[in-house]
Amino acid sequence: MANVAVIGAQWGDEGKGKIVDWLAERADMVVRFQGGHNAGHTLVIGENVYKLSLLPSGIVRGTPSVIGNGVVLDPWALKAEIEKLTAQGVKVTPETLHIADNCALILPFHRDLDALREDASGAGKIGTTRRGIGPAYEDKVGRRAIRVCDLAHLDDLGPQLDRLTAHHDALRAGFGEPPVDREALLAELREIADFVLSFAKPVWLMLNDARKRGRRILFEGAQGVLLDVDHGTYPFVTSSNTIAGTAAGGSGLGPGAVGFVLGIAKAYTTRVGSGPFPTEQENEIGERLGTRGHEFGTVTGRKRRCGWFDAVLVRQSVAVSGVTGIALTKLDVLDGFDEVGICTGYRLRGQVIDHYPSNAADQAAVEPIYEMIEGWHESTAGARSWAQLPAQAIKYIRRIEELIQCPVALVSTSPEREDTILVRDPFSD
C-alpha cells in the first residue's frame, strides 16, 4: 500500500484540509514537511469547524501527527493553536503530536523583520502573512538558526546568538529599529522551552521505523505548487519548496517513501495577495465565484481573487511535482453558470505558448486563451457518486483531465467530509 503526499496544485487554499482529514482516518501518521503557521487548513466535522495553521490536520482525529524538520516553528503560535484546539475538545499530547528536534524556530524578531520589509516595499510587496516565515528560513539557510533541540541548552547559546544578532541588528538598524534584546529573547525562550520540548524527538527515527513496519504515512503539504520558491510565480511565492519531492527532505525519509502524489485543485482558481493571475475575473463572474465559494483566507482573512480554471498552470504543477491523481474540489461553486471557462494556453506578445514563463515581466504579459464549456443548472452539492452529477459537470471534469494530462482521483462537492466522490483510492494504489 502506498504512502500518500497531498499537495496544493494551485496557489494554495484548494481545500487540502478536508482531503487530508478524509484520508487521515485511514492513515497511521500524518506529517507536515514544509512551511510554517502561514498555512491555513479548515476542517469541517459535523457541526464543528477547526482552523489549523501549524498542526497537521490528522491531529483533530487523534491520528499521530508529525511536524517535520522542513517546517519552521513558532513556539508561541504552536502553544496558542494547541490551546485553541483544547478548548474545542481536541486532545493534543506528546503521544499524538511529535515535533522534529531539528526544526528551525521562528523568533519574535523574525516577525518584526517580515513586517518591516513589507511596509517598506510599497508597490513591490510580496503579500506575506507577516509571521516571520521567510526570515526564519533565511537564518536556517544562513546557518545561524536556533532550533528546537537548542531549547534544552539555552545557557550554551552565546556563539549562536552572536551570529544571529550580528545579522539582525544590522538589518534592524537599517529600518531605524533598536538591536535585538538578547536577555528578553532568552527569557521568552526559557518560558516556552519545556512546553515545546515535551513534543520534541528525532522524528526521522520514528518515521523510518514506521515505514519499515508498513505503516501508512500521509504527507501534508502547505500552500501550493504555484507558490513554490523555485517553480512558482517568483518572486510572489512562499519561502519553501512546496512540491511533493520536499516530503522526503522535510521529514527525514528517503525519496522512495512517497508513493501516490495527490494534487488538490479547485474547479476554478483563486489567489490571495499579490502576484500574477492570468485567469482572474475582476468582474461579476469573479464576485460570484468568491461569494459562492466563501473565498477568504483561513490565516489572513483576506479576500481571495477568483478566476476560471487554468489548465496550463495545473498541468505544470502536475509535471514538476509528479502528481499521480487530482482531487478536484468545490465543483458545486460552478453550479448555475451558463458557461464555464478553462484556460488552455497563453499568448505572449503575439506568440501562442503552452507553459507559464519564468520571467516576472513575461508572466505579467501573458494573455489566457479560453475554451468555454456549457455549464449546468442542476446542483452538484453533496454528490457522492458519478450518478449524482449532471452530465455537463462530468464533461467538464473529463476535459480538465485531458488538458492537465492527469486523472481525477477524487471530487469534492461540499466542505463536508463525506461529500466526496472516490474515483481512485490513493492508499491502495
Side-chain angles (χ1 to χ4, degrees), residues 165-189:
T165 56
H167 177 77
H168 279 273
D169 287 350
L171 292 174
R172 292 171 66 88
F175 288 106
E177 295 293 315
V180 173
D181 186 334
R182 290 174 57 147
E183 291 306 314
L185 173 63
L186 284 169
E188 288 184 83
L189 290 174

Side-chain angles (χ1 to χ4, degrees), residues 85-151:
L85 281 182
T86 300
Q88 290 185 275
V90 177
K91 291 184 179 180
V92 181
T93 69
E95 286 69 47
T96 58
L97 177 64
H98 313 281
I99 299 174
D101 58 1
N102 52 342
C103 270
L105 297 180
I106 299 173
L107 302 171
F109 52 77
H110 291 134
R111 297 193 296 268
D112 295 343
L113 181 58
D114 205 352
L116 288 167
R117 283 174 170 168
E118 279 289 277
D119 290 340
S121 295
K125 286 182 180 179
I126 300 297
T128 77
T129 58
R130 298 170 177 256
R131 296 189 171 196
I133 314 297
Y137 271 118
E138 291 174 34
D139 282 345
K140 176 181 177 177
V141 174
R143 295 165 293 182
R144 53 183 172 263
I146 295 174
R147 302 188 298 171
V148 168
C149 54
D150 297 325
L151 294 174

Side-chain angles (χ1 to χ4, degrees), residues 175-259:
F175 288 106
E177 295 293 315
V180 173
D181 186 334
R182 290 174 57 147
E183 291 306 314
L185 173 63
L186 284 169
E188 288 184 83
L189 290 174
R190 285 193 179 94
E191 187 177 355
I192 198 78
D194 287 345
F195 177 82
V196 177
L197 289 170
S198 68
F199 301 101
K201 55 178 62 71
V203 299
W204 67 270
L205 278 171
M206 180 178 65
L207 290 171
N208 274 275
D209 180 63
R211 186 185 177 198
K212 289 175 184 176
R213 290 186 287 123
R215 299 291 186 261
R216 289 175 169 177
I217 302 173
L218 180 60
F219 299 94
E220 178 181 14
Q223 292 91 36
V225 174
L226 301 180
L227 292 173
D228 184 278
V229 70
D230 287 308
H231 299 286
T233 49
Y234 192 90
F236 299 98
V237 293
T238 194
S239 310
S240 59
N241 287 112
T242 59
I243 58 173
T246 311
S251 64
L253 286 168
V258 178

Side-chain angles (χ1 to χ4, degrees), residues 53 61 213 359 381:
S53 293
R61 293 191 178 273
R213 290 186 287 123
N359 178 262

Side-chain angles (χ1 to χ4, degrees), residues 350-365:
Q351 180 183 356
V352 175
I353 59 174
D354 63 356
H355 67 281
Y356 201 51
S358 298
N359 178 262
D362 289 343
Q363 290 177 356

